[in-house]
Amino acid sequence: MKRFGSLRRSKKRKEQDGLGGRHQSEASCLSASGLSTPPTTPTQACSQPVFTQEAQPSGPSPERLEASTRSRSISTPPGTGQRLGLPFAKPPIAASSSPVPSYSTSPQVYGLFEGMLEKLELDDDAAEPESDIYMRFMKSHKCYDIVPTSSKLVVFDTALQVKKAFFALVANGVRAAPLWDTEKQSFVGMLTITDFIIILHRYYKSPMVQIYELEEHKLETWREVYLQATFKPLVNISPEASLFDAVYTLIKNKIHRLPVIDPVTGNALYILTHKRILKFLQLFMCEMPKPAFMKQTLGELGIGSYHDIAFIHPNTPIIKALNIFVERRVSALPVVDESGKVVDIYSKFDVINLAAEKTYNNLDITVTQALKHRSQYFEGVMKCHKMETMETIVDRIVKAEVHRLVVVDECSSIEGIVSLSDILQALVLSPAGIDAQHC
């Protein structure tokens, strides 16, 4: 058996640029009034001692870990003054035959991610010891490990008006928010851009007709109307669950945001995404043995979707694009010109600009007109080719901070889509013999 050592100093700098920095957290809770108010139980920043490598403890006691976990809670449900003990429903994940090392993190690990690989052991006798290295890395780390101390978490009360909620998403620069039900004293769901799209898709008639359901309904009314036949309990995860569990839960449930909820206090701590999990994994990839499949091409591995790809044209009306989002359940639509060349991409996130610009009452405008109002600088469509290696693909999608790459041929004609879900499935779940995308 052999063991990996601590991370190099360069990893510290890399981590600080992307995933590090332990500062006091901030949270926002929006009530029915639409005003931002601080949590009723303010979070106290705990001062953590820094141990030398020789004096560093092997791990905190259970009491210390619980205290540390509670101090990290960055949101207290609005309108309550007591701690809550919500039941945590662990996703139905079958136990793996491979052992999952027990893991207790020290304050120094939280601060600089040092020693992240010390628990990861390799078996020299294995025929291909590195084939499941990423799977075992994810199993030996917890969701708590990638929850930042400095972040913004916006919580909406279900009594808030739908329009105000979407405006609040835009104003706070977030893409989703947990929904708190005051009567039930628990989190009951998530509000995402997909909800905004579904409302527009269902109720838009013409520029001359106001969307009453968006203007007047409360979140609780919208949930009662829309979720009558499709109600599902809130999918969430404990901070003590492994990152492997988080990847499985995200992909199996076909969701893009997974709230991390403390089962002891009932507080929402963070919202996990595919992007952050892959970025965390990629941060340590150079310290681990490289699996052989990382040198194989997309074509050889068969990763991605290549059949019946949904796309639109520059002159496609926005309402038609929204219909495709809902009916095909895709998160982005490549924009293809008359020659078949990919010239742009219209994603679900771009739809929120309709709320920012307050132009959602006219959805007959074209995609090209709508994309002129992008709130962020757009560097162009991120593309790749079937002949590029998995290693290249992972580096590109992480550095670009996008959710998918458009696979094109030599003429820039669309061939397929490679998403973060496809990549995490291949890196983490497939080596365990699990196909969460089709189960």
Side-chain angles (χ1 to χ4, degrees), residues 11-131:
K11 301 304 287 185
K12 298 179 185 178
R13 294 194 295 271
K14 186 175 181 182
E15 178 276 324
Q16 289 171 340
D17 291 338
L19 290 167
R22 316 301 294 180
H23 305 95
Q24 188 173 0
S25 307
E26 62 172 312
S28 300
C29 300
L30 267 69
S31 63
S33 65
L35 300 177
S36 179
T37 57
T40 55
T41 309
T43 302
Q44 296 181 350
C46 58
S47 177
Q48 297 178 336
V50 177
F51 298 91
T52 62
Q53 190 66 26
E54 292 78 10
Q56 182 177 345
S58 59
S61 65
E63 294 79 13
R64 181 183 180 87
L65 182 59
E66 181 180 356
S68 175
T69 302
R70 290 183 179 181
S71 70
R72 289 290 312 284
S73 301
I74 66 174
S75 171
T76 301
T80 60
Q82 73 279 3
R83 292 186 180 274
L84 301 174
L86 297 183
F88 166 67
K90 185 172 181 180
I93 302 175
S96 174
S97 58
S98 57
V100 179
S102 60
Y103 179 49
S104 296
T105 50
S106 66
Q108 188 174 2
V109 172
Y110 287 147
L112 295 174
F113 288 110
E114 287 201 6
M116 283 291 186
L117 302 176
E118 290 182 354
K119 310 174 301 304
L120 200 56
E121 297 182 355
L122 288 181
D123 188 353
D124 291 327
D125 299 329
E128 192 179 355
E130 74 276 14
S131 60

Side-chain angles (χ1 to χ4, degrees), residues 27-31 75-78 153-157 177-180 187 268:
S28 300
C29 300
L30 267 69
S31 63
S75 171
T76 301
L153 181 65
V154 179
V155 174
F156 293 150
D157 193 292
L179 298 178
W180 175 260
F187 290 101

Side-chain angles (χ1 to χ4, degrees), residues 344-402:
D344 211 325
I345 191 165
Y346 190 64
S347 68
K348 282 186 173 181
F349 181 67
D350 292 316
V351 179
I352 202 65
N353 290 326
L354 298 174
E357 301 285 335
K358 299 182 180 180
T359 57
Y360 51 81
N361 278 319
N362 184 10
L363 302 182
D364 294 337
I365 62 173
T366 66
V367 169
T368 300
Q369 291 174 302
L371 288 177
K372 291 179 181 178
H373 300 279
R374 274 196 175 110
S375 58
Q376 297 178 344
Y377 175 70
F378 181 63
E379 296 183 352
V381 184
M382 298 306 300
K383 307 171 186 175
C384 65
H385 300 277
K386 272 189 174 182
M387 297 309 295
E388 291 185 284
T389 64
M390 187 65 172
E391 182 179 15
T392 301
I393 297 301
V394 171
D395 287 342
R396 183 174 305 161
I397 201 168
V398 170
K399 290 176 182 177
E401 296 186 344
V402 294

Side-chain angles (χ1 to χ4, degrees), residues 292-301 387-391:
F293 64 77
M294 292 296 284
K295 293 297 183 182
Q296 292 182 276
T297 66
L298 284 182
E300 292 171 339
L301 296 171
M387 297 309 295
E388 291 185 284
T389 64
M390 187 65 172
E391 182 179 15

Side-chain angles (χ1 to χ4, degrees), residues 247-309:
V247 171
Y248 179 89
T249 303
L250 280 166
I251 297 178
K252 182 179 184 299
N253 291 281
K254 294 179 173 59
I255 56 178
H256 296 92
R257 282 161 184 80
L258 180 62
V260 180
I261 297 180
D262 188 333
V264 178
T265 65
N267 291 339
L269 308 180
Y270 190 62
I271 298 177
L272 276 181
T273 63
H274 300 83
K275 185 190 295 185
R276 186 167 182 86
I277 293 175
L278 183 60
K279 185 175 183 179
F280 179 79
L281 175 60
Q282 195 257 358
L283 185 66
F284 300 102
M285 276 187 173
C286 65
E287 298 288 339
M288 294 183 276
K290 197 176 300 297
F293 64 77
M294 292 296 284
K295 293 297 183 182
Q296 292 182 276
T297 66
L298 284 182
E300 292 171 339
L301 296 171
I303 295 173
S305 302
Y306 299 94
H307 303 287
D308 196 21
I309 303 299

